[in-house]
Structures are given as C-alpha cells and as structure tokens.
Amino acid sequence: MSSDPSSVNASRVTAFQAWMLAIRPKTLPAGAVPVILGSAIAAADGRFSFLPAFVALVCALGIQVATNFINEIYDFRKGADTAERLGPTRTVAAGIISEKKMITVSITLLSLVFLLGMYLVYTAGWPILLIGLLSMLFAWAYTGGPYPIAYSGLGDLFVFVFFGLVAVGGTYYVQALDLSFPVFLAAAAPGAFSVNILLVNNIRDIATDRTVGKMTLPARIGGSGARSLYVVLTAVAYLVPLLVWLNGYSVWVLLSLFSLPLAISLIGKLYRSEGRELNAVLAGTGKVMTVHGLLFSAGLLL
C-alpha cells in the first residue's frame, strides 16, 4: 500500500491514513507559515515571546484542520465530493469516517482550540478573542450555513484575509501588543500563497464543482483566468520581501528570492497540467510557500 495517504485504496485504509486524508497535510503550510513569519517579525523588532508564539501556532493549525474536517461534512451533504472528483479521497463521502464521528471530532477540536486560545486572550486582550471567534465562525461558514463562502466565489478573499493579514498580524500582536504597517505588508506574502493553494485545488475541480453549484472563483472565471491570477499572486508574494526591506528591515529578507526558480517551474507545470496532474501542483505550491516563508523569516532574524 502506498505511503502517500492521498493515493491509498479507500476500501483498505487504516485509521491513521483515514485521518491523515482528512487533515490534508499538504495544505498545512497555509496555517504554519504565517505564524512563523509573524513571530520572525516580532523577533526582528525585539518583541518575540515564545509561549504566545507557540500557542498561536497550535491554534492556527487546529483551526485549519477543523476547517478541513467541516469542509468534508458539508461537501458530502451538498454532493460536492463524488466519485468523479479528481482530488484525494474525501473520507466522509467515501464512507471511511462517519459523518457523526467527523462532527464530534470537529466540535472537540474547536473546543480545545478555544480553550487554548483563552491564554492568548489573557495575554493580549479582547482583540484576540474577536479574532478567535471570527476564525472559528469562518471555519464553519466556509462550507456550512445557508450561504457558504466556498460556494460563492468569495473563499479566496477570506483565505487572503485570515491566512495572511489576520494570521500574521494576530501572531505579532499577541507578542508585541501593537501592530505596524510592515507587519501587514509582510502578511501579504503568505496570504497570496494561501490563495494560490486554494486556486489550484479549485482549478482542478471546476467541472465537478459547477455540476453541484459550487461556484468557486475558478468556476466563475475559468481555468485560464484562475491561472493568470495565480501568476499575479506569485509576483505579489515575491515583491513583498523587497518592500519590507525598503521599510527598514534587514536586506537578508531577500533570501526568499532563492525560492523563485521553484515558483517559476511550478507556474510552468500549472499551465501544462490538467485534472489529477494538478495535485502535484497543489503540493508544490505548499512547498514553495514553506521555503519562501522560512527564507523570509530567516532573513528577518539575520
């Protein structure tokens, strides 16, 4: 049996493989990188604090995983995850994990994140409580409720805000207790990459999404338009470190440019790929985001 949980036979998966499928590890850089970057900016400003940074990382990953779990529940209910989908197996739709169990685990996970997040509220005050509550609401409203965000074409905007501006800004705030323009400027890079992860996922699923009325941004503007947006957002992500440097931070932030050849190669693959081939581009986008974010963060610390 393959060691890649996205390629296992749905009828023979172990419990561990099933939950790894549901967690979607290849998308987790969208939760981790913004927190690492926000902490690096705090360190560059002499404001780093380990415990708030660590708790912020755990909470960010917890909310992202919960969002993935809730997405499985509602896409199953709405018929979006069918046998015709081209992405990795969805455990609820495939009957690997029951809907009831997924609901229970999702509620438990969000409850634990809320309790852990109360430490950040104690540390940094009511703005963090507001951010936490909105993040959990977003985790549900992305595919749940009467007007699911993912089905309206607005998912990309919300991803940019929450996985970019809110994640980086919130991480910095719980350590420094204030914010500055360069923090939000830096946040645009992981925000752009996070949207790109979503774009590739939705470009792959345009046909099946349109069939069930899931009108994501790529389903609305088409694969060509979505690919062009991917290129624009990649350019934005690589412009950000230059602007951060010009705003008074170390020239070493330009280390992130060393990941540019990988990003350019991935753009070429995006334009050459269709269907299941885009799964490799999806994973690659997460890798580019990770390398760019780590180099950017390292540059801030040098």
Side-chain angles (χ1 to χ4, degrees), residues 201-217:
N201 183 80
N202 290 338
I203 290 169
R204 181 198 63 209
D205 295 338
I206 285 175
T208 52
D209 283 347
R210 284 175 174 169
T211 300
V212 298
K214 186 176 181 179
M215 297 305 293
T216 62
L217 185 60

Side-chain angles (χ1 to χ4, degrees), residues 10-286:
S11 64
R12 299 176 59 191
V13 296
T14 65
F16 174 77
Q17 288 172 321
W19 285 107
M20 288 302 289
L21 276 169
I23 288 170
R24 308 180 197 178
K26 292 176 182 178
T27 67
L28 294 187
V33 169
V35 178
I36 294 170
L37 181 59
S39 297
I41 303 171
D45 289 347
R47 318 287 287 277
F48 176 75
S49 180
F50 173 77
L51 189 55
F54 178 75
V55 173
L57 176 62
V58 174
C59 288
L61 291 174
I63 288 175
Q64 186 182 0
V65 171
T67 302
N68 290 342
F69 289 172
I70 295 168
N71 178 255
E72 286 226 12
I73 295 165
Y74 282 97
D75 274 356
F76 166 66
R77 290 180 179 179
K78 297 174 189 295
D81 288 340
T82 66
E84 286 72 39
R85 78 182 305 275
L86 301 175
T89 301
R90 291 292 176 248
T91 59
V92 175
I96 301 170
I97 298 174
S98 71
E99 181 183 1
K100 182 179 179 181
K101 180 177 289 186
M102 189 65 84
I103 292 171
T104 300
V105 172
S106 299
I107 292 172
T108 302
L109 179 56
L110 284 176
S111 299
L112 291 173
V113 167
F114 179 80
L115 291 174
L116 188 59
M118 291 308 293
Y119 164 74
L120 298 178
V121 176
Y122 171 76
T123 300
W126 70 265
I128 300 304
L129 177 60
L130 179 61
I131 287 174
L133 292 175
L134 286 175
S135 296
M136 287 191 287
L137 176 64
F138 170 70
W140 168 76
Y142 187 71
T143 47
Y147 304 105
I149 296 165
Y151 286 67
S152 68
L154 295 174
D156 307 80
L157 175 61
F158 277 79
V159 163
F160 181 83
V161 170
F162 279 90
F163 287 93
L165 306 183
V166 171
V168 176
T171 299
Y172 184 92
Y173 187 83
V174 297
Q175 298 172 71
L177 302 183
D178 62 21
L179 290 168
S180 62
F181 172 70
V183 174
F184 290 110
L185 188 59
F193 280 123
S194 296
V195 174
N196 276 352
I197 290 173
L198 181 62
L199 282 174
V200 177
N201 183 80
N202 290 338
I203 290 169
R204 181 198 63 209
D205 295 338
I206 285 175
T208 52
D209 283 347
R210 284 175 174 169
T211 300
V212 298
K214 186 176 181 179
M215 297 305 293
T216 62
L217 185 60
R220 291 176 183 275
I221 67 176
S224 177
R227 285 176 169 86
S228 297
L229 180 57
Y230 183 103
V231 174
V232 170
L233 289 171
T234 300
V236 167
Y238 281 92
L239 180 62
V240 164
L242 176 62
L243 296 176
V244 169
W245 169 50
L246 293 176
N247 272 269
Y249 286 82
S250 169
V251 68
W252 289 106
V253 297
L254 300 183
L255 278 173
S256 54
L257 296 178
F258 281 104
S259 63
L260 184 57
L262 183 59
I264 293 173
S265 172
L266 204 58
I267 288 172
K269 185 177 290 187
L270 174 65
Y271 276 87
R272 295 191 303 270
S273 301
E274 293 289 349
R276 286 189 174 87
E277 296 171 341
L278 288 165
N279 290 330
V281 181
L282 178 63
T285 304

